[in-house]
Amino acid sequence: MSAVVGCVTGFLTYETTKSVVVKSWSVGITNRVVQLVIITYFVGYVFLYEKAYQVSDTAIESSVITKVKGFGKLNDQVMDVADYIYPPQGAGMFCIMTRAILTDNQFQGRCAETDKKFACETDEDCAQHVGSVLSNGMMTGNCYKSSNESKGMCEIEGWCPAENDNVNVEPMDLKNFTIFIKNSIRFPLFNVTRGNFPPTMDIKNCTNNEKDPFCPIFRVEDVLKKIQRDWTQLAVKGGEIGINIEWQCNLDENIEKCVPKYSFSRLDAPFEKNKISKGYNFRYAKYFKTQNGTEYRTLHKVYAVRFDIMVTGKAGKFSLVPTVINIVAALTSIGMGTVLCDIILLNCLNGADRYKAKKFEEVIEDQTTQTVSPSPDSQLSLKPGMKSSCDSGAISLSMSD
Amino acid sequence: MSAVVGCVTGFLTYETTKSVVVKSWSVGITNRVVQLVIITYFVGYVFLYEKAYQVSDTAIESSVITKVKGFGKLNDQVMDVADYIYPPQGAGMFCIMTRAILTDNQFQGRCAETDKKFACETDEDCAQHVGSVLSNGMMTGNCYKSSNESKGMCEIEGWCPAENDNVNVEPMDLKNFTIFIKNSIRFPLFNVTRGNFPPTMDIKNCTNNEKDPFCPIFRVEDVLKKIQRDWTQLAVKGGEIGINIEWQCNLDENIEKCVPKYSFSRLDAPFEKNKISKGYNFRYAKYFKTQNGTEYRTLHKVYAVRFDIMVTGKAGKFSLVPTVINIVAALTSIGMGTVLCDIILLNCLNGADRYKAKKFEEVIEDQTTQTVSPSPDSQLSLKPGMKSSCDSGAISLSMSD
Amino acid sequence: MSAVVGCVTGFLTYETTKSVVVKSWSVGITNRVVQLVIITYFVGYVFLYEKAYQVSDTAIESSVITKVKGFGKLNDQVMDVADYIYPPQGAGMFCIMTRAILTDNQFQGRCAETDKKFACETDEDCAQHVGSVLSNGMMTGNCYKSSNESKGMCEIEGWCPAENDNVNVEPMDLKNFTIFIKNSIRFPLFNVTRGNFPPTMDIKNCTNNEKDPFCPIFRVEDVLKKIQRDWTQLAVKGGEIGINIEWQCNLDENIEKCVPKYSFSRLDAPFEKNKISKGYNFRYAKYFKTQNGTEYRTLHKVYAVRFDIMVTGKAGKFSLVPTVINIVAALTSIGMGTVLCDIILLNCLNGADRYKAKKFEEVIEDQTTQTVSPSPDSQLSLKPGMKSSCDSGAISLSMSD
């Protein structure tokens, strides 16, 4: 029974470090200043700025619907949204056509190239272009000449006539177009769902995000102004614009404060200095059938402004575990001032050796006697101070200890 | 030579803290309980729940292919997948049409608006609408009147006749449609690739995820039931549904357990209370040519249910580095109980002052004597206990120390 | 006044642990080796490899534009980019058609199914198929027979004639097609924008990423070679290929070193062993109108190779806060060698008990006397060594202490 009590008593002990308390103004001040810096860092940066007491969720789920409104004139035709938006579904990525080069009534067949670099005099001139991917169709290797002419163009097989994109088309003005953005997000960790405009908002009467920051309608001209993009160049060559929606939500506050922040960027900025491959264009075709069933098409080379809506976000909410961990980390870190203070105390101060003697107790490996039991060998093996190896004797030990 | 040995000997020392062992039941129990809590936290939460022994990869790469099957009737026409899916490629985002308002045979020209808000009596009434983006075409500013009538509608230039979307179209029933989802993912850090159904699955015979959780085929009706969405309202106005595929993979276990979890959400939930801008619709056009080459079009205003498939995931695998770091952190943290126990020991217990005297040794800055060597100055400068400044003398020191 | 000074003096103290310095080769070597391992880990792994002195940004914003060039022949027609790319906008996800099964001149009506599984003799045979989603239209439940035949096919309502996809179409060869990728990224935290090819690059003269790693043009054949994908099978059934663009940017170095790394993967690899649902195909329709205004269509079942461009990235830059935190963590961790060394010192070495006596001082709860002041009770309550409970007396205490 007593063995059990002894065992329990042996187990229920508490081990704490023995400390030396130094009453010195210089070290004391250093110590407190370092502790103050550490506390300030934890309270100010870790807790208030970085919100270390929160768990955060950056895996935002987002869904974007867009709707463009406005009318423009291109080639004397009035274009509406069904004409100029690609793709039509109103997703987070969409293109608004600014110019289109149309090649009407293309049928499958053989015809001459249009680009100067395919000029030829003999079939040999065209042989080198066979397999080229830069032409308007498959190179046949023949030089296609009108009757009685010595110069011609290489012949292609494919949709004829070949597209000639050296045409000057006046761009459509879309500066007054508006983009309506409907963005709903969800933070899966907290199951919080938000929309980019409040339920009470009267969408019909809000016309512009410039006037009301909650209005999810953006005029193209305002966007261009914000990214300092010149309209003329953009209209002719096309381009790319990024619309960033950023959600920074502190769920410990009122959920109504969890609102989006819009910003805009020029996605083609890195390629601005490139001589070619500027702007943005793509080709597509509308297909028709003649009365007798032959398919023909109108090829559209479309220059467009492409909008990419990118949604990023982070939500944080108080949680016990990170709070406790960080408080413990803070408390532990406060003791870290000792690293610096010990250096000062043991090296820079007057009486450093005295502090050393006080802080360090030396015990030397007992290499001669192999006694296992802790015999009261007060001689030599125990010495105060790290370097005062010349001191010896029980008295001096008990003194300085 | 001896200098080198001395130097090496001086280097090969080991410094450990001197500890005070308190044999007290109250502090001992507190100490062990705190240690138990810390160990439980690390073993239970950090290691078992949070799997801190693993490196994790959240940068999941995902590719989604979808295929919808089913037939519906709209305007007495049978619609198949090529008719009702936008875009047709079967990507992670797709729309299924529920209703469509068609405006046939639109040609470029001038005609009257259809919406009541553009009613007019004189041209002045229409001047205010010039530049509007809410009309069906460019406002000319004229009031368009049928002969012998005093009231008319503002004239537009564009595709005529103008769309009239105040038409009642019976929605197509897509409750029995099925959505097949093929999702392949990759965790780049571990180079692990997985598909959302096992290679042994017989897709032809599985009809429904409800019956077999590995079957990647979902009936629209089941999805609606799960998100408690009323079909009637959704069908008329359109809407947005999110399909979340979540991959939580513990790669230390059998890779076959790395399977997806499907869940569904209403992406338009945040906008439910909004009076307008509900639902989801978009416009697109089919283009035709008359015999003499004039282009005309059919404008489609399509109400649709949009499905967004969002894939998230995380994979973890044992790794030595985080394991060692967290074990070390755990071991270090066990010592953290001292913070709490010291407070109890030094303040709340009987004999607290005695413990203080034992734990703290005091050394006061020696401001008078500038002796560098640790002279056996047993007087005054060394005192036991933090506050027992009245005690002095070598004897009491050696006693309580 | 003196009270204030006393208070300030009491506050400006510095508490440091009292240490035992063990001069033992075995423990000393262990101590230094453990410290060396910890320092090596921090310097080598944490600082150099993991770059813990940097803040990092993984929330890369990316925008991808693609352009495919090349000509192929399908059904004796030359196909250009407007014919074979879906969708045409050149986004990060696009499909290149390899085969297409066309069903021309489909009108709304009733006709016979084409698939053998819908063969019938009586209407009862077809009743079971009503509601099927695997047919080419809505099952009417009738068995459609040509005159004077006993066997027929179930009748469908929808676009007629029904598609028959048991047709052998020679795939288009797209091995020589080239894919041009324009990728601009941004790290929002550092506001760093980069493009995937340098501004000085002459795109016109670079033809292949194989020859010049900065050239953003990829031949399909090279891509197939890299993922060891057999062209024949891919061409017939379609498939999915992932193009990964990885940005690992160390912004402390020259920004010109922040360049993309391209890699390729087979996204359909997880489904390779599945017997069905292999490859990739989708259906869409081109719509036409007869002279009298009836709509008809050509149904395309398109087998395609789908390319998914996935952009991932991480940027790091020196920052003071993580540097300081990690240096402090490193310094603190160096002390962690004591855990191991203490175990050796106190258990495995000769003279372990002597070290114990030196390291631990014991203080027993004073249960008999309830004196609050630290009376100089030198008897019994203070004992050196954890287990040397047989030692007692002031002398031995002062000796071994």
Side-chain angles (χ1 to χ4, degrees), chain C residues 319-340:
Chain C
S319 172
L320 195 63
V321 170
T323 309
V324 168
I325 288 174
N326 278 289
I327 288 176
V328 168
L331 291 178
T332 317
S333 302
I334 289 171
M336 232 151 255
T338 50
V339 175
L340 182 61

Side-chain angles (χ1 to χ4, degrees), chain A residues 207-225:
Chain A
T207 55
N208 203 328
N209 182 267
E210 287 290 287
K211 288 172 197 157
D212 176 358
F214 289 108
C215 180
I217 295 173
F218 300 85
R219 273 184 72 232
V220 172
E221 192 170 24
D222 297 333
V223 172
L224 293 177
K225 235 178 248 165

Side-chain angles (χ1 to χ4, degrees), chain C residues 160-176:
Chain C
C160 284
E163 180 194 78
N164 180 3
D165 59 2
N166 285 322
V167 176
N168 208 0
V169 177
E170 201 57 33
M172 183 168 74
D173 186 356
L174 45 90
K175 291 206 291 289
N176 286 320

Side-chain angles (χ1 to χ4, degrees), chain C residues 231-248:
Chain C
W231 165 243
T232 324
Q233 192 213 345
L234 189 71
V236 173
K237 283 285 175 190
E240 271 186 295
I241 293 172
I243 301 181
N244 304 287
I245 307 183
E246 202 188 340
W247 294 85
Q248 292 287 1

